[in-house]
Amino acid sequence: MGDQIQFIVEKLNQEPFRKNYNLITFDSLESVQLLQLLSDVLGEIDPKHAVDIREELPEQTAKRMLSLLGILKYKPPGSASDLSAFRQGLVTGSKPVIHPVLHWLLQRTNELKKRAYLARFLVKLEVPAEFLQDDTVADINKQYEELMEAFKNLHKECEQLKTSGLSTAEIRRDISAMEEEKDQLIKRVERLKKRVETVQNHQRMLEIARQLRLEKEREESLAQQKQEQKNQLFHAEQRLQRAQLQLKEMQHAVVDSKPESLMKKLEEEINFNSYLVTEKMPRELESKKNSAYFLQKVLAEPAMSQSDLNVLEIKINEVNAQINQLIEKRMMKYEPTDSKFTMYRQQASIISRKKEAKAEELQAAKEEMSSVERQMLQKTSQAQELEGAEVLKGDEFKHYVNKLRSKNTFYKKKRLEIAEITVEFGILQRTEELLKQRHEAIQQQLQAIEDKKGISGYSCTQEELERVSAVKSEMDEMKGRTLDNMSEMVKKLNAMVAEKKACLAPVIKELRQLRQKCQELTQECDEKKIQYDSCAAGLESNRSTLEQEVKGLLEECVQEEGNYRYINCMKRNLEIQLQRAKEEMKAYVSPDPQERRKAIRQNSYPRHWCWNGGVHTLILNGFIFLPLFVILTGGRMNTVRHHHTNIHLHIQFNLLPYKDSCFIL
């Protein structure tokens, strides 16, 4: 008890209570203070119970604490007959009752907080069976149970996530790493896009790749649909097997039964259904109609105040009193001849009421039987879907029962052994406590003797030295094992290094040869490059000189071509002049007067314009005037002037693209 109180005081002095108690002050607390302390501890576990007990009645306080302790699954010490004493002690604030409760609560505060939190959502609200007959209430209750199961699953997942070791820092690191990977992927995609853009028909190739991806996704979806259809086919086959099995069972039941029993059963069902249709259902329908009529009538009336309700209650009481008076008058006018009829009427009413009750019971039993059959079919289908065994019948069931009995006897035997072991464990635990107490007493005696002899602390020092020596020996042994492990690891590493060197030796040898060959090829490449650069520079200089020479030759060629054309034109002119001179001489010396008139001397001066490759010559009266500066443009008046004469000719013509031609102006 002292250890228990000390533990309670230590826990109450810590967070979040901080009571600053010691053993004396805690033991001197009154019953009201103890109850308030218990209420504070319960309020720490469940905040709804953080109340001041002075503001509520003692019965309410005890009821509130008992309900929370029941939720927390606290078991009072003692047998079931001591529960009343426990309740009484909890009401009065008895220390032998409060102290164990505080010790139990403070030992497992975190666990009880969790249990109290879960109790707010998992303590099922019991609904009476008569209310569950209503469909709305039944649906709401079913939704309530489904939400409770969903909360259980979510809480389990939350606890698993808490214990899985994931932290926010790790998640943030993962997110940052994923973002970096995303940026890298984006950059890689951009590089690939730029690389693909240089390829011909890259749009078509991208479209083909997109179609390939879509087809692969479609293939995956089709494979998934195929698997789902296989599962559906498997379930349909299982349902077909169950239906065939049920059909066989029904056929077997029909074969075993007799026609008389079937007819009797059908007659009972017909009688029951006819009673429901002809008597019970019409009465219920009539009562429902009447209640609906009255409810509509009440709904149609205006809102009633409390005074109107009082007036109606008074009227009802008056009508009831009148009815009672009429019944008394009738009883006073009682005649003996009517006694038999009244008795028969009473018996008939009693029998009808019993009949109605039995019909209701039968209907409820049938509904229950149908629901149980549906549940049984559902359970059998679930068992078959889970590849469970079929329902046992006949000899198999007996064999199964015998097997269970043997297992039950074996279980009872093992349970007795566990009870014996538990008793032995209690004895050993008690022995351990006694030995500990004896050891403590011996230690105290030894300490007193050491104090008398002036060597106090010798035994403790010796035990400490023994413990340190034992720890040192363990550490030395551990170091030895560690050194052995390290030496073995070094040997293994050396062996691995030697093996890798042996494997890499031929590769290194070949690599050296390749490096030497690479250096030689590099030197040869540099020399060839120098030769190429010098040859390219010489060829470039030769090319530039040759281009200049070709340019000069082209200019000289153009100039010589112009001279050639000029000389050719002069030659043509001279030939024409010579021909005309011959003709003139012929006409001039001709004896024919007609021919003589054709002579130039007999006519005015003719004018000739010759075009010869850009050189222009004007011939007047057979004489050539050179050079002329003629500005020729298409369709304008131009002026031709000779440097040695004062002749001006205004000519209007279009420039014709003819060379070596002569025009008569």
Side-chain angles (χ1 to χ4, degrees):
M1 182 63 73
D3 296 337
Q4 191 180 44
I5 294 174
Q6 187 174 0
F7 176 78
I8 293 170
V9 171
E10 288 176 357
K11 287 292 184 180
L12 290 175
N13 290 334
Q14 296 174 3
E15 291 289 342
F17 303 105
R18 301 185 68 83
K19 295 294 184 181
N20 295 325
Y21 286 149
N22 53 28
L23 295 176
I24 298 171
T25 55
F26 180 74
D27 190 56
S28 63
L29 292 176
E30 296 180 356
S31 60
V32 178
Q33 294 174 341
L34 277 175
L35 286 173
Q36 183 62 49
L37 184 61
L38 179 59
S39 179
D40 294 340
V41 174
L42 293 175
E44 179 63 26
I45 293 171
D46 190 356
K48 292 192 298 184
H49 293 266
V51 296
D52 191 354
I53 62 172
R54 293 175 295 181
E55 297 178 357
E56 59 182 2
L57 297 175
E59 291 80 6
Q60 295 178 352
T61 304
K63 185 177 179 182
R64 176 173 58 82
M65 291 181 179
L66 284 171
S67 64
L68 183 57
L69 290 174
I71 291 171
L72 299 177
K73 297 182 180 179
Y74 174 72
K75 295 181 180 179
S79 61
S81 60
D82 298 334
L83 291 176
S84 61
F86 174 76
R87 293 192 187 94
Q88 187 65 28
L90 191 64
V91 173
T92 59
S94 177
K95 292 181 181 180
V97 175
I98 302 295
H99 287 173
V101 176
L102 286 173
H103 182 263
W104 185 80
L105 293 172
L106 295 172
Q107 270 184 335
R108 46 183 68 82
T109 306
N110 294 326
E111 180 184 353
L112 296 176
K113 281 182 180 179
K114 184 177 177 181
R115 190 175 295 174
Y117 167 74
L118 294 176
R120 291 166 53 192
F121 305 101
L122 299 181
V123 174
K124 190 174 181 181
L125 182 64
E126 296 296 335
V127 181
E130 56 269 16
F131 293 119
L132 290 175
Q133 298 297 326
D134 190 358
D135 294 336
T136 306
V137 177
D139 293 339
I140 293 172
N141 188 35
K142 186 177 180 182
Q143 292 177 5
Y144 169 68
E145 292 176 354
E146 290 175 354
L147 290 173
M148 191 179 292
E149 292 296 328
F151 176 77
K152 288 181 183 178
N153 296 328
L154 289 174
H155 182 71
K156 288 179 182 178
E157 291 178 1
C158 180
E159 292 296 325
Q160 289 176 359
L161 290 174
K162 286 182 180 178
T163 57
S164 62
L166 294 174
S167 61
T168 55
E170 293 179 357
I171 294 171
R172 287 174 181 172
R173 285 197 296 271
D174 293 339
I175 291 171
S176 61
M178 291 171 69
E179 288 178 352
E180 291 177 358
E181 290 179 359
K182 181 182 176 182
D183 296 336
Q184 292 177 1
L185 288 173
I186 291 170
K187 292 178 181 178
R188 189 178 298 174
V189 169
E190 290 178 354
R191 288 198 298 270
L192 289 174
K193 282 183 178 179
K194 291 179 180 178
R195 189 180 299 172
V196 168
E197 286 176 356
T198 58
V199 181
Q200 294 181 355
N201 298 328
H202 66 279
Q203 291 292 339
R204 186 170 177 274
M205 294 171 69
L206 288 174
E207 185 66 26
I208 292 169
R210 190 179 297 109
Q211 291 178 1
L212 177 62
R213 179 176 56 79
L214 293 174
E215 291 297 329
K216 285 185 177 180
E217 292 178 356
R218 185 183 175 188
E219 183 181 1
E220 292 177 357
S221 65
L222 289 174
Q224 187 176 1
Q225 291 178 5
K226 182 179 178 182
Q227 187 64 31
E228 290 177 357
Q229 289 178 359
K230 283 184 178 179
N231 294 331
Q232 291 176 2
L233 179 62
F234 177 71
H235 292 313
E237 289 177 353
Q238 287 185 344
R239 287 196 296 271
L240 178 61
Q241 291 176 1
R242 289 196 298 271
Q244 289 176 354
L245 182 62
Q246 291 177 2
L247 179 61
K248 288 180 181 179
E249 290 178 354
M250 293 176 69
Q251 288 176 355
H252 183 68
V254 170
V255 169
D256 293 339
S257 61
K258 295 181 180 180
E260 292 82 3
S261 60
L262 290 174
M263 290 295 294
K264 188 176 180 180
K265 188 176 180 181
L266 289 172
E267 286 178 357
E268 290 177 355
E269 289 182 357
I270 290 168
N271 292 329
F272 177 70
N273 291 329
S274 62
Y275 168 72
L276 291 176
V277 172
T278 57
E279 296 182 12
K280 187 178 179 182
M281 295 287 184
R283 282 201 299 271
E284 290 181 355
L285 183 62
E286 189 65 27
S287 63
K288 295 290 183 183
K289 286 182 179 179
N290 292 330
S291 61
Y293 171 72
F294 287 122
L295 289 173
Q296 289 178 357
K297 189 176 180 181
V298 171
L299 185 64
E301 291 180 357
M304 300 176 68
S305 61
Q306 187 65 33
S307 60
D308 297 333
L309 292 175
N310 294 329
V311 171
L312 288 175
E313 287 180 356
I314 292 169
K315 288 182 179 179
I316 290 167
N317 293 328
E318 291 177 355
V319 171
N320 289 330
Q322 292 177 3
I323 290 169
N324 293 328
Q325 290 177 3
L326 291 173
I327 291 170
E328 289 176 357
K329 288 180 180 179
R330 186 177 178 184
M331 294 294 291
M332 289 174 66
K333 294 179 180 179
Y334 175 76
E335 294 181 359
T337 55
D338 296 333
S339 60
K340 293 181 181 181
F341 293 107
T342 55
M343 183 177 66
Y344 292 148
R345 289 194 189 96
Q346 291 176 358
Q347 290 179 357
S349 62
I350 291 168
I351 291 168
S352 63
R353 283 197 296 271
K354 286 183 179 180
K355 188 176 179 181
E356 291 176 359
K358 293 297 180 182
E360 291 177 356
E361 290 178 0
L362 180 60
Q363 189 175 2
K366 283 188 175 182
E367 291 177 355
E368 186 177 359
M369 185 177 69
S370 62
S371 64
V372 170
E373 287 178 353
R374 285 196 299 272
Q375 290 178 3
M376 184 183 69
L377 292 174
Q378 186 178 2
K379 297 295 183 184
T380 53
S381 62
Q382 289 178 0
Q384 290 179 359
E385 287 177 358
L386 296 173
E387 295 181 357
E390 296 181 355
V391 179
L392 301 177
K393 294 180 181 180
D395 297 334
E396 293 180 355
F397 184 73
K398 290 180 181 179
H399 179 68
Y400 181 70
V401 170
N402 293 327
K403 190 176 179 180
L404 284 179
R405 285 176 181 172
S406 62
K407 287 185 178 181
N408 192 16
T409 55
F410 182 73
Y411 166 73
K412 289 180 179 179
K413 184 179 178 182
K414 294 297 180 183
R415 189 174 180 183
L416 290 174
E417 291 178 1
I418 291 170
E420 292 175 359
I421 292 169
T422 306
V423 172
E424 187 176 357
F425 174 73
I427 294 169
L428 292 174
Q429 192 174 7
R430 179 61 180 166
T431 306
E432 185 184 2
E433 291 178 358
L434 293 174
L435 290 174
K436 282 183 179 180
Q437 292 176 2
R438 189 178 297 176
H439 177 70
E440 290 176 357
I442 292 170
Q443 288 290 334
Q444 291 177 0
Q445 291 177 4
L446 181 61
Q447 189 176 2
I449 292 168
E450 289 176 354
D451 292 337
K452 286 181 181 180
K453 300 296 183 180
I455 53 172
S456 60
Y458 175 76
S459 60
C460 296
T461 306
Q462 188 177 2
E463 290 177 358
E464 186 68 23
L465 288 172
E466 290 177 356
R467 189 180 64 79
V468 170
S469 63
V471 172
K472 184 176 179 298
S473 63
E474 290 178 359
M475 292 296 293
D476 293 337
E477 186 178 358
M478 189 181 296
K479 286 180 181 178
R481 289 198 299 270
T482 306
L483 289 172
D484 293 336
N485 294 330
M486 290 176 68
S487 62
E488 290 179 0
M489 189 179 294
V490 169
K491 289 179 181 178
K492 288 181 181 179
L493 290 173
N494 290 329
M496 290 174 65
V497 170
E499 185 179 356
K500 295 295 182 183
K501 282 182 178 179
C503 293
L504 293 173
V507 179
I508 292 170
K509 188 176 180 181
E510 186 178 357
L511 181 62
R512 287 175 182 172
Q513 295 177 359
L514 292 173
R515 282 180 178 173
Q516 188 176 1
K517 189 175 181 181
C518 179
Q519 289 177 359
E520 293 175 358
L521 292 173
T522 304
Q523 291 177 0
E524 186 178 357
C525 179
D526 294 337
E527 292 175 358
K528 297 293 184 183
K529 189 175 181 181
I530 291 168
Q531 292 178 4
Y532 168 76
D533 292 337
S534 62
C535 182
L539 292 173
E540 184 68 24
S541 61
N542 293 331
R543 187 180 66 82
S544 61
T545 54
L546 289 173
E547 284 180 353
Q548 290 178 0
E549 290 178 359
V550 168
K551 189 175 181 180
L553 291 173
L554 287 173
E555 291 177 354
E556 187 177 355
C557 181
V558 170
Q559 186 176 1
E560 292 297 331
E561 185 178 359
N563 293 331
Y564 165 74
R565 294 185 181 279
Y566 175 72
I567 293 169
N568 193 12
C569 183
M570 293 296 294
K571 179 184 175 184
R572 290 283 302 277
N573 290 333
L574 291 173
E575 289 177 353
I576 292 168
Q577 290 177 7
L578 182 60
Q579 182 68 27
R580 288 186 61 82
K582 287 180 180 180
E583 291 178 357
E584 181 67 22
M585 287 297 296
K586 186 178 179 181
Y588 184 72
V589 296
S590 176
D592 191 2
Q594 295 293 333
E595 291 290 335
R596 197 179 296 162
R597 286 194 192 97
K598 294 181 181 177
I600 297 173
R601 291 183 181 182
Q602 300 296 327
N603 298 319
S604 61
Y605 298 121
R607 293 164 308 274
H608 297 272
W609 175 265
C610 295
W611 172 269
N612 185 18
V615 180
H616 311 283
T617 305
L618 182 63
I619 301 173
L620 293 176
N621 199 16
F623 298 99
I624 300 170
F625 296 93
L626 292 174
L628 293 173
F629 295 100
V630 182
I631 301 171
L632 301 177
T633 57
R636 289 189 304 182
M637 296 299 293
N638 296 280
T639 302
V640 179
R641 176 178 292 180
H642 194 274
H643 283 258
H644 302 286
T645 61
N646 241 346
I647 300 172
H648 291 269
L649 296 177
H650 295 279
I651 308 168
Q652 183 177 6
F653 63 94
N654 291 324
L655 185 62
L656 299 176
Y658 298 107
K659 295 182 179 180
D660 301 333
S661 301
C662 183
F663 300 94
I664 302 298
L665 300 178

